[in-house]
Amino acid sequence: MTDYATKNDLTIQQVYEEHISGAKRNVERPVLTECLDYCRGNDTDILLVSELSRLGRNVDEVLSSIRWCKENHLNIYLQKENIYIYDREGRENPYLTIMIAVLGTAAQLERENIVFRLQSGRRRYVEKNIALTGKSGLGREGYRKPKDQKAEEYKETLKLLRKGYPYRKVAKLCDVSESTVKRLKKEFEI
């Protein structure tokens, strides 16, 4: 993207790089949200994106991102697809919606195929291990903290949960992961 910007005399204001599952909804993607907010707040003319799937992994998410950019007069260049929302004269690409729908559907199907292959491989692995060893071969075996030790270690977390605080707030206040908070809530039946 930097090379493209340099070749086309574009000034780079900010660079964003996201490492998150493509299965996440756009509202669960803080880097994408931050990037779009930055573009809106800093009069950015064009957003360079490596490929369409970076704007969402299903058609609805992609179209929502594109719609947001159009509403905020932000042009997008998709490098892999070599597509702009607007041409140099500011006219909208007449084939944009059709291409986005087709390419967005392809990205969604690709994601679904990846999930299917991963689940299929996992099932075969588990079946094979159970046949050979009687165990699935997945997960960790070994030491588990006793419940009373967890109660002491996560005393503040449990206290906030009992007061009815939401997961995210508890996780943030206690500096623990949301999954830990959920696990504690389930284990301690709060």
Side-chain angles (χ1 to χ4, degrees):
M1 298 309 319
T2 304
D3 290 342
Y4 179 85
T6 303
K7 289 176 187 172
N8 289 279
D9 295 323
L10 299 172
T11 303
I12 298 171
Q13 293 178 316
Q14 191 75 16
V15 175
Y16 292 90
E17 196 171 325
E18 186 171 56
H19 302 281
I20 194 165
S21 168
K24 296 284 186 186
R25 294 180 18 235
N26 285 359
V27 295
E28 299 173 292
R29 297 174 59 192
V31 175
L32 176 62
T33 304
E34 181 185 342
C35 174
L36 293 176
D37 287 345
Y38 177 88
C39 289
R40 180 181 47 202
N42 291 282
D43 294 324
T44 303
D45 295 321
I46 184 168
L47 173 61
L48 306 177
V49 181
S50 60
E51 62 180 275
L52 181 71
S53 67
R54 296 296 83 218
L55 296 175
R57 276 295 192 134
N58 69 53
V59 178
D60 295 332
E61 294 283 337
V62 172
L63 289 173
S64 174
S65 295
I66 297 291
R67 188 178 319 107
W68 184 94
C69 290
K70 288 162 80 174
E71 289 168 359
N72 288 278
H73 310 290
L74 175 65
N75 199 0
I76 295 181
Y77 173 68
L78 304 167
Q79 183 182 32
K80 181 179 174 189
E81 294 83 4
N82 194 26
I83 300 172
Y84 279 97
I85 291 180
Y86 302 105
D87 65 15
R88 294 193 187 276
E89 287 77 40
R91 294 180 306 234
E92 185 177 326
N93 181 335
Y95 304 106
L96 180 73
T97 305
I98 295 168
M99 291 187 311
I100 297 294
V102 170
L103 294 169
T105 301
Q108 184 174 339
L109 289 172
E110 178 184 359
R111 175 71 189 147
E112 290 169 4
N113 283 336
I114 289 168
V115 169
F116 175 79
R117 287 192 300 267
L118 287 171
Q119 289 174 343
S120 174
R122 184 178 187 271
R123 268 193 312 278
R124 281 196 311 273
Y125 177 83
V126 168
E127 288 168 0
K128 181 180 173 184
N129 276 346
I130 289 175
L132 293 173
T133 66
K135 297 179 182 179
S136 73
L138 297 176
R140 291 182 271 172
E141 292 184 25
Y143 177 75
R144 297 229 186 248
K145 285 183 190 173
K147 193 171 181 177
D148 59 333
Q149 185 179 347
K150 286 182 193 175
E152 181 61 33
E153 184 176 338
Y154 297 105
K155 182 176 12 179
E156 189 63 30
T157 304
L158 294 167
K159 180 179 166 185
L160 293 175
L161 281 172
R162 287 186 181 105
K163 287 184 176 181
Y165 281 72
Y167 291 121
R168 288 184 180 182
K169 187 158 188 138
V170 172
K172 191 172 185 178
L173 290 171
C174 296
D175 197 28
V176 296
S177 71
E178 287 182 37
S179 61
T180 298
V181 175
K182 289 177 184 178
R183 200 168 37 252
L184 289 168
K185 183 172 179 158
K186 183 178 180 181
E187 184 176 347
F188 286 87
E189 299 173 351
I190 299 172

